[in-house]
Amino acid sequence: MTIQKLLATRDDAIAREDAPAYLAALDAIRLARIPAQIDHCIGNEFYGPKLRDAGINRGADIKTMDDFRRLPAFMTKADHRASQQASLEKYGHSFGLHTCVPKDSIIHVAGTSGTTGMPTFYLFTRRDLDMTYEMVGRMLKKAGVRPGDTVLHLFGLSMWLGGTTFMQSLEAYGAHPIPLGAEAGVSRALQYLAACRPRVIAGTPSFLSYLIDRAPEELGKPASAFGVDIVFCGGEPGPAIPPVRKKLQEGYGAKVFDTMLGGWGNAALECGGEHHNGLHFLADEYCFRYDLVDPVTREPIELKDGATGEGIHSGLYYEAGPGLRYATGDMLTLHVGTCPHCGEFGTRYSVQGRADDLLNVRGVKIFPSAIKEVVESLRPRTNGQLEIVLDAPPPRVVPPVAVTVEAGEGVAAEDFDSIASEIEDQIKARLRIPAKVSMVPEGTIPRSSHKTKLVRVRDAVTG
């Protein structure tokens, strides 16, 4: 059966809101894509040995989705970097041994910031880039972006996927991006907001929140006075936290959309309701983003509504340097059914946090975003900025958990102790862990124009 017919079967199941038929149709689409993708990768010096060690000598050896889901993870971020280092030493380029096409067919490169080591690169052939444009186009259309709309681009305008790749995708869609980037800083971003009157603004939630705080002072008007209708967020927790979401919605007078644009065909968009209801996955025929495994045992988890596990990512129709059984480190919860906000039937997922950011405090396991949600709930006495300071890398944390929190604008220093005590009480009541909170004046915690880190491991020398 062709992909088009399989997609029609999927769409019929969606129309009938038949969850079992829908999940079966998705498996059929994946199973139709996987053999060709394995055949594309098996001649590669990185993937070939791993596939053969797993008993796979050709794509036809995968008979069922269970066969595929029981394969081990073939790559982690550490493996990704090691593959790049090996290709740098062997071939003089750092695209990685897992690159499955000739170097001269790569026409676009994206990458991470590289703040913790060598950047990880994402490579695109013409087909890969066209597919990415299609995925981003679906995301933009679903959010209500129109061709010709002005988009103030305030993600870090660097090589990462939310940077030049997203900006080029906006152009391909027919939008009118203003490629300023977060590197320009708050004052410049506000200047462009006032001068360009964008209908759409895009950036990390922390950076966009900071613009709301600074707009009255720098522009003499609130950020909501400049005609923004649509806010795209991504790169860090935020829109899933009710106080953050409310601030962005009210601060811009706009709909707020959480997004995920990852490598190898991944694109997802939350539908902009009053509450966060998960990200609608937009790329089922190209990418298997939410193949879930237990983060400890690595056993597959049944894919059904409410299932939670670590995401194993596989590009199903990707040429350049495809992720195949890539352990993302993201802990995802899968939602299958009708979205409570927009009424659309399908697959959504929520990002709970990074598996390696999970904190284990005397047996209580929490993600840093849970502490952030508590801090955000005490606005305006806090401004939501925080830093969890650990003596050693997670997961094990010796209590109490040290948390530095910024006070809200105009909060007197003599009130810091009482606010700190209230935050400690709220963390204890809601999360069942002890915390030691230190309040600091607004502007003390460093801001990032890219992803804001909630956890810092204390340096043994500098503290």
Side-chain angles (χ1 to χ4, degrees):
M1 190 179 294
T2 66
I3 290 292
Q4 288 71 25
K5 289 182 178 179
L6 292 171
L7 290 171
T9 301
R10 178 203 62 183
D11 293 344
D12 177 66
I14 290 173
R16 293 184 287 111
E17 298 191 356
D18 185 335
Y22 169 68
L23 291 173
L26 293 183
D27 274 354
I29 292 166
R30 293 165 189 149
L31 195 56
R33 289 285 197 205
I34 286 168
Q37 189 69 349
I38 286 178
D39 286 339
H40 176 63
C41 294
I42 203 160
N44 173 265
E45 61 187 299
F46 178 88
Y47 283 122
K50 293 177 181 291
L51 283 161
R52 287 187 285 273
D53 286 348
I56 305 300
N57 295 297
R58 56 180 184 159
D61 291 337
I62 299 294
K63 310 282 188 195
T64 68
M65 280 306 297
D66 282 344
D67 292 343
F68 183 72
R69 297 193 68 218
R70 292 208 164 270
L71 293 175
F74 293 143
M75 187 182 280
T76 64
K77 184 159 282 193
D79 296 329
H80 194 155
R81 289 197 177 104
S83 173
Q84 292 179 172
Q85 184 62 42
S87 73
L88 181 62
E89 294 168 0
K90 187 172 183 179
Y91 299 117
H93 69 75
S94 55
F95 292 158
L97 298 179
H98 59 285
T99 302
C100 293
V101 296
K103 185 171 174 287
D104 59 7
S105 18
I106 296 167
I107 65 166
H108 181 78
V109 180
T112 63
S113 61
T115 54
T116 58
M118 177 186 282
T120 50
F121 295 119
Y122 300 92
L123 315 176
F124 299 76
T125 63
R126 168 49 61 192
R127 190 179 84 177
D128 299 336
L129 199 56
D130 287 342
M131 180 185 63
T132 300
Y133 292 163
E134 180 186 346
M135 294 302 97
V136 176
R138 292 178 186 181
M139 186 173 77
L140 297 171
K141 183 176 180 180
K142 185 173 178 59
V145 179
R146 304 179 298 243
D149 279 345
T150 298
V151 182
L152 182 56
H153 186 293
L154 293 176
F155 286 115
L157 194 63
S158 59
M159 285 179 60
W160 70 303
L161 289 159
T164 54
T165 308
F166 182 51
M167 193 199 72
Q168 290 177 9
S169 299
L170 287 164
E171 292 177 339
Y173 181 75
H176 173 203
I178 305 296
L180 184 65
E183 297 91 340
V186 170
S187 296
R188 192 77 166 156
L190 289 170
Q191 179 186 19
Y192 272 66
L193 175 65
C196 299
R197 305 296 170 109
R199 182 168 180 259
V200 184
I201 189 169
T204 62
S206 56
F207 190 76
L208 297 181
S209 177
Y210 200 36
L211 294 186
I212 294 171
D213 296 338
R214 294 278 296 275
E217 177 186 347
E218 298 212 17
L219 300 178
K221 295 179 181 179
S224 59
F226 299 99
V228 175
D229 290 331
I230 295 169
V231 175
F232 280 125
C233 292
E236 62 188 36
I241 299 172
V244 176
R245 187 176 192 80
K246 183 178 180 181
K247 179 180 179 181
L248 292 169
Q249 287 172 332
E250 294 179 354
Y252 289 101
K255 282 190 174 182
V256 174
F257 295 89
D258 198 3
T259 65
M260 180 170 282
L261 174 61
W264 311 300
N266 172 42
L269 176 81
E270 179 241 352
C271 56
E274 182 180 351
H275 305 289
H276 193 284
N277 295 302
L279 296 132
H280 290 258
F281 191 58
L282 305 174
D284 272 315
E285 71 268 40
Y286 293 130
C287 174
F288 193 10
R289 177 68 178 84
Y290 48 82
D291 187 3
L292 304 179
V293 300
D294 184 291
V296 177
T297 68
R298 316 307 291 174
E299 286 294 310
I301 292 171
E302 182 185 358
L303 298 181
K304 61 181 181 179
D305 188 50
T308 298
E310 181 183 351
I312 302 293
H313 186 130
S314 293
L316 304 179
Y317 185 70
Y318 206 89
E319 292 182 321
L324 183 67
R325 305 291 299 165
Y326 193 110
T328 65
D330 289 332
M331 293 295 293
L332 308 176
T333 295
L334 182 63
H335 310 284
V336 182
T338 302
C339 175
H341 171 66
C342 71
E344 182 177 302
F345 182 90
T347 306
R348 292 167 287 121
Y349 61 81
S350 301
V351 181
Q352 305 300 326
R354 295 281 303 168
D356 51 6
D357 281 346
L358 186 67
L359 307 179
N360 187 338
V361 188
R362 286 183 182 165
V364 178
K365 296 178 181 179
I366 62 166
F367 288 103
S369 57
I371 296 176
K372 181 172 176 62
E373 186 166 352
V374 173
V375 171
E376 290 280 359
S377 71
L378 272 75
R379 285 178 178 270
R381 286 171 290 168
T382 79
N383 65 7
Q385 293 291 323
L386 67 95
E387 188 175 61
I388 300 166
V389 184
L390 306 180
D391 290 320
R396 184 173 178 271
V397 179
V398 177
V401 180
V403 186
T404 303
V405 177
E406 280 192 9
E409 183 180 4
V411 174
E414 53 264 32
D415 295 329
F416 283 11
D417 286 347
S418 64
I419 298 171
S421 294
E422 185 173 355
I423 296 172
E424 290 169 359
D425 291 344
Q426 289 287 332
I427 290 174
K428 182 70 173 177
R430 297 192 203 182
L431 306 180
R432 298 182 295 115
I433 62 170
K436 177 60 179 175
V437 174
S438 302
M439 298 296 297
V440 296
E442 185 175 38
T444 301
I445 298 173
R447 303 313 200 256
S448 171
S449 62
H450 299 282
K451 296 182 181 182
T452 300
K453 299 289 187 181
L454 298 182
V455 176
R456 176 173 66 87
V457 179
R458 185 181 284 116
D459 186 269
V461 177
T462 65

